[in-house]
Amino acid sequence: MQTLQVALGERSYPIHIGPGLLGQPDLLSPYIRGRQVMLVTNETVAPLYLNKVKASLSAFQVDTAVLPDGESYKTLDTVNLIFDQLLEKRHNRTTTLIALGGGVIGDMVGFAAATYQRGVDFIQIPTTLLSQVDSSVGGKTGVNHALGKNMIGAFHQPRCVLADTATLKSLPKRELSAGIAEVIKYGLICDQSFYAWLQMHTKDLLACDDTALGYAIKRSCLAKAEVVAEDEREGGIRAILNLGHTFGHAIETHEGYGNWLHGEAVAVGMLMAVDLSIRLGWLEAQELEVLQRLLVQAKLPVVSPSDMTPDDFLKHMAVDKKVVDGTLRLVLLDAIGKAKVTSDFHHDALIATLKSV
């Protein structure tokens, strides 16, 4: 097991990474302050891991909520199912919610924890690669709206994150690839040497090699923890973590939540960000081909949906959270490993990118 720390003063917390961590009570109990626990998962994960985690919490009153699975259920209506269980079982302000599942579960449970009785503790146990390297760390929680992804939410940090890499062996291949997209993102925004490593080891990640997975998750979490520690509420540098996300969220919203996986949409979004950076003269032209080759190797899409026009993209991007006073800002690259948030781009260049990719 490797342990990293997200340094946020009195709200600091550990990220435990390694195989076989589920079922170890000493990794969870120090972060549960009361006697009540609400363990929340979904219909896919529950048969695999619910009983194992529940058995490790025998010292507590454990209640469970099993939600439907899928991005299309990341809604306020589904979060209400968590509130129903909390209220029916009379959970008080000392309760701890535990999110067992992927990013959808983590985001909804975190949002429920942020708002139940104006805020209670929660713990993240991510079971997908995407959630282990990204969504479980940093305290962003929330749900989708028909007009925009993650537009309703709150910042609420977990008490700890438990990333059992053994759970990744049960992932569908498509979900594994979607997680690799977020791993690639960290190389692009702040870690050029890691980006080079990925070009040599993506096949190892697809094969669920324990050494490669552990290394990639650690490097990704280190990168995110450093950015979050510097800018917890995305007032500045933290926005670079959204490379490709403005384009990607537009795809997810337009195509219907769940039809494109988040990582798949982000993969195309990163290509668009690189393409636009090249058009603005900030990146060398060959970087687009390098990224395309890496995404293909990771079994990720490299073209946007055929039914989306530039106008479709612009309509959805107009409600992105990085829009300020009507001005669209994007995360672009000055170099591999050096990202920035900027509105300094020509509209014609953006349209050319949307048409090209």
Side-chain angles (χ1 to χ4, degrees), residues 11-307:
R11 294 186 317 287
S12 297
Y13 56 92
I15 308 168
H16 300 305
I17 304 166
L21 304 187
L22 292 188
Q24 295 190 31
D26 56 316
L27 296 179
L28 293 177
S29 57
Y31 305 101
I32 300 174
R33 290 190 271 212
R35 70 178 189 87
Q36 294 178 311
V37 170
M38 179 62 68
L39 181 54
V40 186
T41 187
N42 65 35
E43 295 166 341
T44 301
V45 176
L48 299 172
Y49 306 118
L50 178 60
N51 288 339
K52 191 169 189 177
V53 175
K54 190 174 181 181
S56 71
L57 298 167
S58 58
F60 303 93
Q61 172 200 326
V62 182
D63 297 301
T64 60
V66 179
L67 307 179
D69 184 18
E71 184 83 26
S72 61
Y73 294 103
K74 190 179 170 183
T75 64
L76 287 172
D77 285 342
T78 307
V79 172
N80 262 328
L81 299 177
I82 303 174
F83 293 143
D84 289 346
Q85 287 299 303
L86 287 166
L87 291 166
E88 287 174 12
K89 304 297 184 182
R90 298 176 185 247
H91 280 242
N92 58 44
R93 286 182 172 176
T94 68
T95 191
T96 297
L97 277 63
I98 297 180
L100 174 65
V104 171
I105 285 291
D107 282 5
M108 288 195 295
V109 173
F111 182 57
T115 51
Y116 183 67
Q117 298 198 25
R118 298 186 176 88
V120 297
D121 290 344
F122 87 111
I123 290 169
Q124 290 270 24
I125 306 181
T127 60
T128 66
L129 181 58
L130 192 148
S131 59
Q132 289 185 3
V133 301
D134 191 69
S135 60
S136 67
V137 178
K140 277 189 176 181
T141 75
V143 296
N144 299 331
H145 187 278
L147 297 180
K149 184 177 169 70
N150 293 332
M151 296 303 291
I152 303 165
F155 286 97
H156 192 57
Q157 300 293 343
R159 294 270 288 150
C160 77
V161 178
L162 188 67
D164 188 337
T165 57
T167 62
L168 303 181
K169 297 185 188 301
S170 64
L171 269 187
K173 294 299 184 183
R174 186 182 172 198
E175 292 275 1
L176 187 64
S177 290
I180 293 174
E182 291 282 2
V183 174
I184 292 169
K185 176 194 74 177
Y186 289 107
L188 285 169
I189 64 172
C190 62
D191 197 338
Q192 185 177 21
S193 64
F194 183 42
Y195 187 62
W197 181 89
L198 286 167
Q199 292 168 47
M200 302 293 294
H201 294 279
T202 295
K203 289 182 179 179
D204 297 327
L205 297 178
L206 288 172
C208 282
D209 177 81
D210 286 331
T211 301
L213 283 172
Y215 180 77
I217 294 168
K218 179 182 178 181
R219 286 288 286 261
S220 300
C221 287
L222 274 172
K224 184 159 190 180
E226 289 175 2
V227 172
V228 169
E230 185 174 343
D231 178 20
E232 181 180 1
R233 291 180 173 263
E234 204 170 291
I237 190 175
R238 181 168 176 168
I240 69 170
L241 296 170
N242 293 317
L243 178 74
H245 284 58
T246 300
F247 300 107
H249 287 171
I251 293 172
E252 290 183 87
T253 302
H254 187 82
E255 295 299 301
Y257 298 123
N259 291 315
W260 275 59
L261 297 181
H262 176 66
E264 293 170 339
V266 166
V268 172
M270 291 189 298
L271 271 176
M272 291 181 164
V274 167
D275 183 271
L276 182 54
S277 299
I278 291 168
R279 291 178 190 276
L280 297 172
W282 300 339
L283 277 183
E284 297 293 328
Q286 69 265 19
E287 294 299 347
L288 186 65
E289 183 181 343
V290 172
L291 178 56
Q292 283 177 327
R293 189 164 56 244
L294 181 55
L295 294 175
V296 168
Q297 186 179 11
K299 303 189 185 307
L300 288 161
V302 291
V303 293
S304 62
S306 59
D307 65 334

